[in-house]
Amino acid sequence: MCHLRFSERLLSPVSLIKCGCDASAARNGLNLSGRRNETCQHLSNGEICAACLPASPFSPPSLLPPTPRRGVHGPSGSAVFFFSGSERSENFVNCVGRSGKAEGAVDGTQSRPSRSSRPSRSSRSRSRSKRLLRGRRWVMTGQRLSLLTPLAVLGLLVGLADLSHGFAGEDEDYYMQQLLLTREQFNRARAPEKPAASAPDMDERRSHDPTKKAPKVDAGSGRRTGKNAADGKSVKTANKKSEKSKKSAVKSPTSISEGDRQYNSMNEECPPMGLETLKIDDFQLHASTTKRYGLGAHRGRLNIQAGIYEDDLYDGAWCAGIDDPLQWFEVDARRLTKFTGVVTQGRSSLWSSDWVTSYKVMVSNDSHTWVTLRNGSKDLIFVGNREKEIPVRNILPEPVVGRYIRVNPRSWFHSGSICMRVEILGCPMPDPNNYYHRRNEIITTDNLDFRHHSYKEMRQLMKVVNEMCPNITRIYNIGKSHSGLKLYAIEISDNPGEHEVGEPEFRYTAGSHGNEVLGRELLLLLMQFMCLEYRSGNQRIRHLVAETRIHLLPSLNPDGYEKAFEAGSELSGWSLGRWSNAGIDIHHNFPDLNSILWEGEAKKWIPRKMFNHHVPIPEWYLSKNASFNKQNPMVAVETRALIAWMEKIPFVLGGNIQGGELVVTFPYDKTRSPGVAREQTPTPDDHVFRWLAFSYASTHRLMTAANRRVCHTEDFAKEDGTINGASWHTAAGSMNDFSYLHTNCFEFSMYVGCDKFPHESELPEEWENNRESLLVFMEQVHRGIKGVVRDLQGRGIANAIVSVQGIGHDIRTASDGDYWRLLNPGEYRVTAKAEGYSIASKKCEVGYEMGATSCSFVIGRTNLSRIKEIMEKFNKRPIKLPVRQLQVRRTREMQPGT
């Protein structure tokens, strides 16, 4: 009886199905490598002779059993059987038949099986037809191998390799094939390569090279022999040239050849697999035990944030249900992957302190047989975290290839539990024969500079863009950071450097939090893209540049960015570089004008004592001590530079790009009810804000996707990817609220990714996710009404108030008298007024098509204003008498005789 083990179980007909074969195929003489073997007999108990198995565990896929199609041959995935030399010999000897010869022998003395043992011609014909319909064209021959000429053997091998390539490309579950790694073979493969000394070692090394012929099987001993090897002797290399090529070849203990292509770049640095960016979905994460659902394996992602309360469904780590060294956290890559490192964090919690201080790493290809990474004769123990927030990265001594990887905690914080957040560094192994992994892959066609830029590199890139498109770009700075770095901006317009009457001003800013670097790179990519497309004649970009003055400021907090950039994308954590050098959150460092406005409304000062717009900045905020107090500065120098920039240029629409979530927020960001953490707090222009926010979210590839996973704790997809800032969390003094209350600009915050600092390899996909949104949002600046408020002489009137009936928020004209008012489609009663001028009103209709409706006004001076102007011109002032004296004078004049 042939006792052939499959995962320590007897190989049954079910096992044959998992291996890519079935009982009828075995009876028809097809071995597991897909080649015809007339003597390969299907035994009575469903087992199969060892001669029908692939030659080696590291054989190329062309010699491995093909993966069955789902629902036709059973479960997807194939298995490879590993044998040491003694196992192969023992199992093969057990297959000897009554004649005394091995049933699987392939020597020249073998005889053809009897006619009764072979299937009928009709069954063979039907089987051949089915194989042809499935695309499996296998070479079938009944001749003895000893009679084949060398040319025929070469042609047979080439044909088999070609056919195996064609089949792999058809199977959509090709990546699900599994390779069972045993501890013994893993350690043997990790050993340094030495000259061949025994047949098994030589066979294993030879199987790495798919271009070499598979050695023949000796029927007497079960050993494989080479061309020049004698019976009972070790196999040696044929010549010095082949031995030299073996030594020079780049090999790895777990590298696997795919077809005729060998993956040699084993020492390259691999990016994160995507636990933080959600490329790895929840179904690919598993754990031994969990404390509760909110602390399940799906929460064990690097930098994931927890909710405020301890028993939330969205907690900040995976936590084991039992604190012992048998726990593990597992990641299923769903394909062969080269693992190079592990990054870990503790639990994100306001109340608990939990982290792992040391751990082991194990790999597998079937999730049953696991191999622990070793250092000689001992298991490798990796040093973990010392606190819960700072990430720790461990690079594996040598890359390993597998489908599954486990992190096995060995020790943890003495006052805490086994809790961790994880990121795996790994590269998917290449497979050009399969389209499965490329089905949902995002590939950009834009030839841009996709990498992270330091401050110096950013400045150089902006200079290159300016040199490429000097007629439409201009570089300037709005001020300096705390450490003296200039805050550079680039202007894109058909007439850079000037404000044109009737042309709206638009701005994008990024990097107010230095560690949220995706926005910075998106703006650098956007300026490159617009320059290149303008040069190539893209009509959409040309029209946008001709009709809009665009300002891009990619880095508001360059000091914080340099800190995060130095640490890197995996080690910057959640907060390193967020604040300025003075320790200030720039985005929330603006004066709180909400409280001033709401107090005036409560006291009914509007519109008699104060306006509902252009709320003035408090005097304490403008004092020098607020910024230049070295011990405790209250206002960042970057914030002052921003305010001066916003007051100088009449921006109409703006967006500040941030990271860590997938949502667009709009004012108000502060709740109106004091002491309330979250509350819907709309502005008078709430309907306009929602329209504009949705224009960005709806054109983003992921924000409105109903099937996307929650980044941290909030499911913003239910809100169409947009939310009122105060209903998310209250924040006083935000840039959005200040821009709306102090200027005419409608400001939004775009959170463009769950990962604040994505790896460089993720930038092309992130650009594709946001490119259309960035352009569409810029085009929204032309929605609503626009016009010029002039006097009777045709001169523009600055600071004229333009109000819309039914909306309790007015705007003001720029220095040339022009204005832009963002409105949704509809009919509005618009009024223009200015101090010393009469009031004018008219109806203006806004359509659904893109392009603002023209709505201009001509207003004249009032009589009182003319008198004042004349008196001031001649340095005279009108006499102001008390009302009582005026009445006495008039009565005297009316008396007769006076």
Side-chain angles (χ1 to χ4, degrees):
M1 191 65 60
C2 180
H3 296 286
L4 198 59
R5 291 184 296 172
F6 168 68
S7 248
E8 302 183 356
R9 296 190 298 270
L10 290 179
L11 187 64
S12 63
V14 177
S15 301
L16 287 174
I17 293 176
K18 289 191 68 175
C19 298
C21 190
D22 55 14
S24 62
R27 293 190 185 95
N28 290 337
L30 282 176
N31 60 20
L32 290 181
S33 64
R35 293 175 292 184
R36 184 71 177 180
N37 189 351
E38 295 290 348
T39 62
C40 182
Q41 298 296 320
H42 181 70
L43 303 182
S44 60
N45 65 341
E47 297 172 350
I48 193 167
C49 182
C52 302
L53 291 175
S56 168
F58 294 102
S59 299
S62 59
L63 301 180
L64 297 181
T67 306
R69 292 185 179 275
R70 191 186 304 272
V72 177
H73 295 287
S76 62
S78 62
V80 178
F81 299 85
F82 293 98
F83 295 93
S84 62
S86 60
E87 283 178 329
R88 182 177 293 277
S89 176
E90 179 184 354
N91 292 330
F92 190 84
V93 170
N94 288 334
C95 296
V96 178
R98 296 180 181 179
S99 61
K101 294 184 179 181
E103 295 176 326
V106 290
D107 60 349
T109 61
Q110 75 177 21
S111 59
R112 294 175 60 86
S114 62
R115 185 176 299 274
S116 62
S117 63
R118 288 183 293 171
S120 63
R121 181 174 300 177
S122 60
S123 65
R124 289 199 303 269
S125 176
R126 288 193 299 270
S127 178
R128 187 183 303 111
S129 299
K130 292 180 180 179
R131 289 194 299 275
L132 288 176
L133 290 175
R134 292 195 302 264
R136 302 179 181 180
R137 298 175 299 171
W138 307 103
V139 179
M140 301 179 59
T141 175
Q143 300 179 357
R144 292 184 177 87
L145 295 177
S146 60
L147 299 179
L148 292 174
T149 62
L151 182 60
V153 174
L154 180 61
L156 179 62
L157 292 176
V158 172
L160 287 173
D162 190 27
L163 289 171
S164 66
H165 279 227
F167 176 76
E170 296 174 1
D171 192 356
E172 67 174 349
D173 289 330
Y174 181 73
Y175 282 113
M176 305 299 288
Q177 62 179 336
Q178 303 173 356
L179 303 176
L180 300 178
L181 286 174
T182 65
R183 182 187 298 272
E184 178 184 358
Q185 288 161 338
F186 179 84
N187 293 334
R188 184 192 308 131
R190 284 176 57 87
E193 186 175 346
K194 298 179 180 179
S198 62
D201 292 341
M202 184 61 197
D203 292 342
E204 183 175 334
R205 286 194 301 272
R206 178 174 295 184
S207 64
H208 278 284
D209 193 347
T211 62
K212 298 184 181 298
K213 297 180 180 180
K216 297 179 181 180
V217 179
D218 186 359
S221 63
R223 282 199 312 263
R224 287 195 266 171
T225 60
K227 289 183 179 181
N228 301 328
D231 294 339
K233 295 184 179 181
S234 300
V235 180
K236 297 183 179 180
T237 54
N239 49 54
K240 294 182 179 181
K241 182 176 181 180
S242 61
E243 184 176 359
K244 184 176 180 180
S245 64
K246 284 178 177 291
K247 293 182 178 180
S248 61
V250 179
K251 295 186 179 181
S252 175
T254 53
S255 61
I256 298 177
S257 301
E258 298 183 359
D260 294 333
R261 178 180 176 182
Q262 189 170 8
Y263 189 64
N264 293 326
S265 54
M266 294 300 294
N267 295 324
E268 71 172 341
E269 181 181 356
C270 288
M273 290 180 57
L275 274 77
E276 184 177 6
T277 60
L278 306 184
K279 277 193 169 182
I280 300 296
D281 61 45
D282 290 349
F283 297 103
Q284 296 176 252
L285 304 178
H286 310 279
S288 53
T289 59
T290 59
K291 186 170 293 187
R292 61 173 179 269
Y293 176 79
L295 295 171
H298 63 288
R299 302 295 295 175
R301 301 174 182 270
L302 191 70
N303 287 322
I304 200 167
Q305 299 300 296
I308 298 177
Y309 305 104
E310 192 69 21
D311 293 329
D312 264 339
L313 292 177
Y314 303 104
D315 270 306
W318 160 70
C319 289
I322 305 173
D323 292 334
D324 61 36
L326 301 178
Q327 307 305 310
W328 45 262
F329 178 84
E330 178 183 311
V331 180
D332 177 7
R334 288 183 175 170
R335 58 179 295 186
L336 292 179
T337 302
K338 182 184 72 173
F339 302 113
T340 62
V342 178
V343 185
T344 59
Q345 263 180 324
R347 176 182 174 184
S348 171
S349 173
L350 297 175
W351 322 107
S352 304
S353 297
D354 305 304
W355 62 84
V356 171
T357 57
S358 66
Y359 58 88
K360 294 182 181 180
V361 175
M362 299 179 288
V363 294
S364 173
N365 283 303
D366 66 342
S367 76
H368 296 290
T369 305
W370 291 90
V371 177
T372 303
L373 300 191
R374 299 175 65 85
N375 185 11
S377 60
K378 298 182 179 179
D379 292 345
L380 274 173
I381 303 293
F382 295 94
V383 177
N385 300 87
R386 296 182 178 179
E387 59 93 51
K388 58 185 178 182
E389 287 299 336
I390 300 178
V392 174
R393 178 177 59 188
N394 282 297
I395 302 299
L396 307 186
E398 293 181 6
V400 292
V401 174
R403 170 176 166 176
Y404 303 88
I405 185 169
R406 274 184 184 177
V407 178
N408 169 221
R410 307 301 297 175
S411 62
W412 49 94
F413 180 53
H414 62 88
S415 298
S417 304
I418 297 179
C419 296
M420 61 192 318
R421 293 174 283 172
V422 181
E423 180 63 85
I424 304 296
L425 308 182
C427 301
M429 299 297 287
D431 184 7
N433 298 321
N434 195 279
Y435 69 92
Y436 181 71
H437 71 287
R438 297 192 297 268
R439 257 192 320 205
N440 298 321
E441 194 173 82
I442 305 301
I443 301 176
T444 183
T445 58
D446 298 326
N447 185 21
L448 307 175
D449 188 13
F450 293 103
R451 63 189 179 93
H452 290 297
H453 298 80
S454 65
Y455 177 80
K456 184 177 180 180
E457 293 169 339
M458 178 195 73
R459 185 178 59 184
Q460 183 63 29
L461 178 60
M462 296 174 72
K463 184 178 179 181
V464 170
V465 172
N466 177 244
E467 292 175 351
M468 290 179 59
C469 302
N471 297 330
I472 62 170
T473 60
R474 178 179 68 96
I475 299 175
Y476 64 99
N477 73 84
I478 67 170
K480 293 183 179 180
S481 68
H482 186 271
S483 64
L485 299 178
K486 293 183 179 180
L487 307 179
Y488 284 106
I490 189 169
E491 175 190 344
I492 303 177
S493 174
D494 59 343
N495 191 12
E498 292 184 20
H499 170 70
E500 300 180 55
V501 177
E503 187 172 290
E505 306 268 357
F506 177 90
R507 71 165 180 255
Y508 270 135
T509 59
S512 58
H513 299 147
N515 62 332
E516 297 170 6
V517 305
L518 180 56
R520 171 192 177 108
E521 297 304 326
L522 287 176
L523 293 191
L524 293 177
L525 293 169
L526 179 62
M527 62 180 69
Q528 298 176 60
F529 175 79
M530 295 190 70
C531 176
L532 293 175
E533 293 299 305
Y534 187 89
R535 287 165 55 94
S536 64
N538 186 323
Q539 291 302 313
R540 180 187 186 186
I541 301 300
R542 282 184 170 270
H543 181 268
L544 190 61
V545 171
E547 300 296 330
T548 317
R549 192 181 181 204
I550 303 167
H551 303 261
L552 307 179
L553 202 164
S555 186
L556 281 173
N557 184 9
D559 299 340
Y561 172 80
E562 291 301 312
K563 295 178 183 179
F565 181 76
E566 184 179 357
S569 63
E570 291 84 43
L571 301 182
S572 60
W574 189 252
S575 60
L576 178 63
R578 175 184 177 88
W579 299 278
S580 69
N581 269 7
I584 297 175
D585 185 341
I586 296 176
H587 183 70
H588 298 101
N589 189 227
F590 293 83
D592 179 13
L593 303 183
N594 304 61
S595 300
I596 299 175
L597 176 67
W598 294 337
E599 182 183 0
E601 291 178 347
K603 295 181 178 180
K604 298 182 180 181
W605 288 350
I606 298 174
R608 294 183 299 106
K609 291 185 178 182
M610 64 179 297
F611 298 105
N612 61 10
H613 64 283
H614 282 237
V615 180
I617 299 175
E619 293 183 2
W620 68 265
Y621 190 92
L622 298 175
S623 64
K624 291 184 178 180
N625 292 334
S627 292
F628 299 101
N629 185 352
K630 294 183 179 180
Q631 295 181 353
N632 187 22
M634 301 180 64
V635 181
V637 292
E638 296 90 345
T639 310
R640 288 196 181 277
L642 267 175
I643 292 176
W645 184 49
M646 296 162 70
E647 291 177 339
K648 180 181 179 181
I649 301 175
F651 292 109
V652 180
L653 182 62
N656 54 85
I657 304 178
Q658 302 188 42
E661 265 295 352
L662 277 171
V663 67
V664 179
T665 68
F666 50 88
Y668 291 123
D669 288 337
K670 180 183 178 181
T671 57
R672 188 155 190 164
S673 302
V676 179
R678 53 172 65 187
E679 178 186 60
Q680 187 78 18
T681 310
T683 65
D685 287 288
D686 186 66
H687 56 293
V688 181
F689 275 111
R690 292 184 180 275
W691 175 292
L692 297 175
F694 186 69
S695 69
Y696 190 99
S698 61
T699 51
H700 190 279
R701 287 190 60 256
L702 300 176
M703 280 190 186
T704 56
N707 59 345
R708 75 170 180 87
R709 187 194 180 280
V710 174
C711 286
H712 299 285
T713 61
E714 302 285 344
D715 186 5
F716 296 112
K718 295 188 298 185
E719 304 289 338
D720 293 327
T722 67
I723 193 172
N724 173 255
S727 64
W728 182 13
H729 56 80
T730 183
S734 71
M735 184 177 178
N736 297 354
D737 290 0
F738 174 82
S739 179
Y740 179 70
L741 294 177
H742 187 67
T743 70
N744 293 338
C745 184
F746 286 29
E747 185 82 11
F748 295 78
S749 291
M750 289 82 172
Y751 294 82
V752 293
C754 300
D755 189 353
K756 290 185 175 182
F757 197 152
H759 191 268
E760 205 167 78
S761 60
E762 302 289 335
L763 292 180
E765 182 173 349
E766 294 294 349
W767 166 247
E768 289 297 322
N769 291 343
N770 290 274
R771 179 183 60 187
E772 184 63 20
S773 300
L774 292 169
L775 296 176
V776 168
F777 188 73
M778 281 193 291
E779 293 170 339
Q780 301 307 306
V781 75
H782 297 283
R783 185 172 296 282
I785 60 175
K786 66 177 181 179
V788 181
V789 179
R790 297 185 176 92
D791 59 14
L792 297 177
Q793 287 73 33
R795 294 172 297 188
I797 302 175
N799 288 323
I801 299 175
V802 178
S803 59
V804 179
Q805 185 177 0
I807 300 178
H809 181 80
D810 303 336
I811 64 168
R812 296 198 180 190
T813 59
S815 58
D816 296 323
D818 50 347
Y819 77 93
W820 305 263
R821 184 60 164 94
L822 296 174
L823 293 170
N824 285 344
E827 189 177 86
Y828 300 91
R829 170 67 65 176
V830 184
T831 302
K833 59 184 178 181
E835 185 179 358
Y837 291 87
S838 59
I839 300 176
S841 179
K842 64 167 62 175
K843 283 187 178 181
C844 300
E845 185 176 353
V846 179
Y848 285 91
E849 65 279 357
M850 188 58 65
T853 302
S854 179
C855 190
S856 297
F857 296 89
V858 177
I859 56 180
R861 303 293 297 272
T862 61
N863 293 334
L864 181 60
S865 65
R866 289 178 182 177
I867 293 174
K868 289 181 178 181
E869 183 179 358
I870 294 173
M871 298 299 290
E872 291 176 0
K873 184 177 181 181
F874 295 98
N875 295 326
K876 294 181 180 181
R877 295 181 180 179
I879 300 175
K880 294 183 178 180
L881 296 176
V883 177
R884 180 64 178 171
Q885 295 182 7
L886 288 174
Q887 290 178 352
V888 171
R889 177 178 293 183
R890 289 177 182 175
T891 56
R892 287 178 180 178
E893 292 177 352
M894 295 176 63
Q895 291 178 2
T898 58

Short mmCIF file of all heavy atoms in Angstrom, two decimals, residues 345-372:
data_model
loop_
_atom_site.label_atom_id
_atom_site.label_comp_id
_atom_site.label_asym_id
_atom_site.label_seq_id
_atom_site.Cartn_x
_atom_site.Cartn_y
_atom_site.Cartn_z
N GLN A 345 2.28 49.02 17.28
CA GLN A 345 1.88 50.09 18.19
C GLN A 345 1.07 49.48 19.32
O GLN A 345 0.58 48.34 19.21
CB GLN A 345 0.98 51.11 17.46
CG GLN A 345 1.67 52.33 16.94
CD GLN A 345 0.68 53.27 16.25
OE1 GLN A 345 -0.25 52.81 15.60
NE2 GLN A 345 0.89 54.54 16.39
N GLY A 346 0.92 50.24 20.40
CA GLY A 346 0.04 49.82 21.46
C GLY A 346 -1.40 50.23 21.18
O GLY A 346 -1.75 50.66 20.08
N ARG A 347 -2.22 50.12 22.19
CA ARG A 347 -3.64 50.40 22.05
C ARG A 347 -3.92 51.90 22.16
O ARG A 347 -3.38 52.58 23.04
CB ARG A 347 -4.41 49.65 23.13
CG ARG A 347 -5.91 49.94 23.17
CD ARG A 347 -6.56 49.18 24.31
NE ARG A 347 -7.96 49.53 24.47
CZ ARG A 347 -8.74 49.06 25.43
NH1 ARG A 347 -8.24 48.21 26.33
NH2 ARG A 347 -10.01 49.42 25.52
N SER A 348 -4.75 52.42 21.27
CA SER A 348 -5.19 53.81 21.33
C SER A 348 -6.34 53.90 22.31
O SER A 348 -7.44 53.40 22.05
CB SER A 348 -5.62 54.30 19.94
OG SER A 348 -6.23 55.56 20.02
N SER A 349 -6.09 54.54 23.45
CA SER A 349 -7.12 54.63 24.48
C SER A 349 -6.80 55.79 25.40
O SER A 349 -5.63 56.07 25.70
CB SER A 349 -7.19 53.32 25.29
OG SER A 349 -8.07 53.45 26.38
N LEU A 350 -7.85 56.48 25.85
CA LEU A 350 -7.69 57.55 26.82
C LEU A 350 -7.58 57.01 28.24
O LEU A 350 -7.13 57.72 29.15
CB LEU A 350 -8.86 58.53 26.74
CG LEU A 350 -9.02 59.29 25.42
CD1 LEU A 350 -10.29 60.13 25.46
CD2 LEU A 350 -7.81 60.17 25.16
N TRP A 351 -7.99 55.76 28.46
CA TRP A 351 -8.10 55.24 29.82
C TRP A 351 -7.19 54.06 30.09
O TRP A 351 -6.91 53.79 31.27
CB TRP A 351 -9.55 54.83 30.08
CG TRP A 351 -10.55 55.73 29.46
CD1 TRP A 351 -11.33 55.48 28.37
CD2 TRP A 351 -10.86 57.08 29.85
NE1 TRP A 351 -12.11 56.56 28.06
CE2 TRP A 351 -11.85 57.57 28.96
CE3 TRP A 351 -10.40 57.92 30.87
CZ2 TRP A 351 -12.37 58.85 29.07
CZ3 TRP A 351 -10.93 59.19 30.97
CH2 TRP A 351 -11.90 59.65 30.08
N SER A 352 -6.74 53.35 29.07
CA SER A 352 -5.96 52.13 29.27
C SER A 352 -4.56 52.29 28.72
O SER A 352 -4.32 53.08 27.80
CB SER A 352 -6.64 50.93 28.62
OG SER A 352 -7.96 50.77 29.10
N SER A 353 -3.63 51.50 29.28
CA SER A 353 -2.24 51.46 28.81
C SER A 353 -1.90 50.02 28.49
O SER A 353 -1.60 49.23 29.40
CB SER A 353 -1.29 52.03 29.87
OG SER A 353 -1.56 53.40 30.12
N ASP A 354 -1.98 49.66 27.23
CA ASP A 354 -1.75 48.28 26.80
C ASP A 354 -0.83 48.28 25.59
O ASP A 354 -1.10 48.99 24.61
CB ASP A 354 -3.07 47.59 26.43
CG ASP A 354 -4.09 47.66 27.55
OD1 ASP A 354 -3.77 47.22 28.65
OD2 ASP A 354 -5.20 48.17 27.32
N TRP A 355 0.23 47.49 25.67
CA TRP A 355 1.10 47.30 24.51
C TRP A 355 1.92 46.03 24.69
O TRP A 355 2.07 45.50 25.79
CB TRP A 355 1.99 48.51 24.27
CG TRP A 355 2.96 48.84 25.38
CD1 TRP A 355 4.19 48.30 25.60
CD2 TRP A 355 2.76 49.79 26.43
NE1 TRP A 355 4.77 48.86 26.70
CE2 TRP A 355 3.92 49.77 27.23
CE3 TRP A 355 1.72 50.66 26.76
CZ2 TRP A 355 4.07 50.60 28.34
CZ3 TRP A 355 1.86 51.46 27.87
CH2 TRP A 355 3.02 51.44 28.65
N VAL A 356 2.45 45.54 23.58
CA VAL A 356 3.26 44.32 23.54
C VAL A 356 4.72 44.72 23.52
O VAL A 356 5.13 45.57 22.71
CB VAL A 356 2.90 43.46 22.32
CG1 VAL A 356 3.87 42.30 22.16
CG2 VAL A 356 1.47 42.95 22.44
N THR A 357 5.53 44.09 24.37
CA THR A 357 6.95 44.45 24.47
C THR A 357 7.86 43.54 23.67
O THR A 357 9.00 43.91 23.38
CB THR A 357 7.38 44.44 25.94
OG1 THR A 357 7.12 43.15 26.51
CG2 THR A 357 6.62 45.51 26.72
N SER A 358 7.41 42.34 23.31
CA SER A 358 8.22 41.45 22.45
C SER A 358 7.28 40.46 21.76
O SER A 358 6.20 40.16 22.26
CB SER A 358 9.28 40.70 23.27
OG SER A 358 8.68 39.81 24.18
N TYR A 359 7.74 39.95 20.62
CA TYR A 359 6.90 39.04 19.86
C TYR A 359 7.74 38.19 18.91
O TYR A 359 8.90 38.52 18.62
CB TYR A 359 5.84 39.81 19.06
CG TYR A 359 6.37 40.83 18.10
CD1 TYR A 359 6.71 40.50 16.79
CD2 TYR A 359 6.55 42.16 18.50
CE1 TYR A 359 7.20 41.44 15.91
CE2 TYR A 359 7.05 43.10 17.63
CZ TYR A 359 7.37 42.75 16.33
OH TYR A 359 7.86 43.68 15.45
N LYS A 360 7.15 37.11 18.45
CA LYS A 360 7.73 36.27 17.40
C LYS A 360 6.95 36.49 16.11
O LYS A 360 5.82 36.98 16.12
CB LYS A 360 7.67 34.79 17.78
CG LYS A 360 8.54 34.40 18.96
CD LYS A 360 8.42 32.90 19.22
CE LYS A 360 9.26 32.48 20.42
NZ LYS A 360 9.14 31.02 20.66
N VAL A 361 7.54 36.08 15.00
CA VAL A 361 6.91 36.17 13.69
C VAL A 361 6.92 34.78 13.06
O VAL A 361 7.95 34.10 13.06
CB VAL A 361 7.63 37.18 12.78
CG1 VAL A 361 7.03 37.16 11.38
CG2 VAL A 361 7.54 38.57 13.37
N MET A 362 5.77 34.37 12.53
CA MET A 362 5.63 33.08 11.87
C MET A 362 5.01 33.27 10.50
O MET A 362 4.23 34.21 10.29
CB MET A 362 4.76 32.14 12.71
CG MET A 362 5.31 31.85 14.09
SD MET A 362 4.24 30.76 15.06
CE MET A 362 2.91 31.88 15.43
N VAL A 363 5.36 32.39 9.57
CA VAL A 363 4.81 32.44 8.21
C VAL A 363 4.27 31.08 7.84
O VAL A 363 4.65 30.05 8.40
CB VAL A 363 5.88 32.88 7.18
CG1 VAL A 363 6.31 34.30 7.42
CG2 VAL A 363 7.09 31.96 7.22
N SER A 364 3.34 31.09 6.89
CA SER A 364 2.72 29.86 6.43
C SER A 364 2.16 30.08 5.04
O SER A 364 2.02 31.21 4.59
CB SER A 364 1.60 29.44 7.39
OG SER A 364 0.88 28.33 6.89
N ASN A 365 1.84 28.95 4.39
CA ASN A 365 1.18 29.02 3.10
C ASN A 365 -0.17 28.33 3.10
O ASN A 365 -0.84 28.30 2.07
CB ASN A 365 2.07 28.40 2.02
CG ASN A 365 3.18 29.32 1.62
OD1 ASN A 365 2.96 30.45 1.20
ND2 ASN A 365 4.41 28.86 1.78
N ASP A 366 -0.55 27.75 4.23
CA ASP A 366 -1.85 27.10 4.30
C ASP A 366 -2.59 27.42 5.59
O ASP A 366 -3.67 26.90 5.82
CB ASP A 366 -1.70 25.59 4.16
CG ASP A 366 -0.98 24.98 5.34
OD1 ASP A 366 -0.30 25.73 6.07
OD2 ASP A 366 -1.07 23.76 5.53
N SER A 367 -2.01 28.24 6.44
CA SER A 367 -2.55 28.65 7.74
C SER A 367 -2.66 27.48 8.72
O SER A 367 -3.26 27.64 9.79
CB SER A 367 -3.92 29.34 7.60
OG SER A 367 -4.95 28.40 7.35
N HIS A 368 -2.06 26.34 8.38
CA HIS A 368 -2.05 25.19 9.29
C HIS A 368 -0.63 24.88 9.76
O HIS A 368 -0.40 24.67 10.94
CB HIS A 368 -2.66 23.96 8.62
CG HIS A 368 -4.10 24.12 8.29
ND1 HIS A 368 -5.10 24.16 9.24
CD2 HIS A 368 -4.73 24.25 7.09
CE1 HIS A 368 -6.27 24.32 8.65
NE2 HIS A 368 -6.08 24.38 7.34
N THR A 369 0.28 24.83 8.83
CA THR A 369 1.67 24.55 9.14
C THR A 369 2.43 25.87 9.19
O THR A 369 2.51 26.58 8.18
CB THR A 369 2.30 23.62 8.08
OG1 THR A 369 1.50 22.45 7.97
CG2 THR A 369 3.72 23.27 8.47
N TRP A 370 2.98 26.19 10.35
CA TRP A 370 3.62 27.48 10.55
C TRP A 370 5.11 27.31 10.81
O TRP A 370 5.53 26.35 11.45
CB TRP A 370 2.99 28.23 11.73
CG TRP A 370 1.59 28.67 11.43
CD1 TRP A 370 0.45 27.98 11.65
CD2 TRP A 370 1.21 29.90 10.82
NE1 TRP A 370 -0.64 28.69 11.22
CE2 TRP A 370 -0.20 29.88 10.71
CE3 TRP A 370 1.90 31.02 10.37
CZ2 TRP A 370 -0.92 30.93 10.15
CZ3 TRP A 370 1.21 32.07 9.82
CH2 TRP A 370 -0.19 32.02 9.72
N VAL A 371 5.87 28.25 10.30
CA VAL A 371 7.32 28.26 10.48
C VAL A 371 7.70 29.52 11.23
O VAL A 371 7.41 30.64 10.79
CB VAL A 371 8.05 28.22 9.12
CG1 VAL A 371 9.55 28.29 9.33
CG2 VAL A 371 7.68 26.95 8.37
N THR A 372 8.32 29.37 12.38
CA THR A 372 8.77 30.50 13.16
C THR A 372 10.13 30.97 12.66
O THR A 372 11.02 30.15 12.42
CB THR A 372 8.86 30.12 14.65
OG1 THR A 372 7.60 29.64 15.09
CG2 THR A 372 9.27 31.32 15.49
#
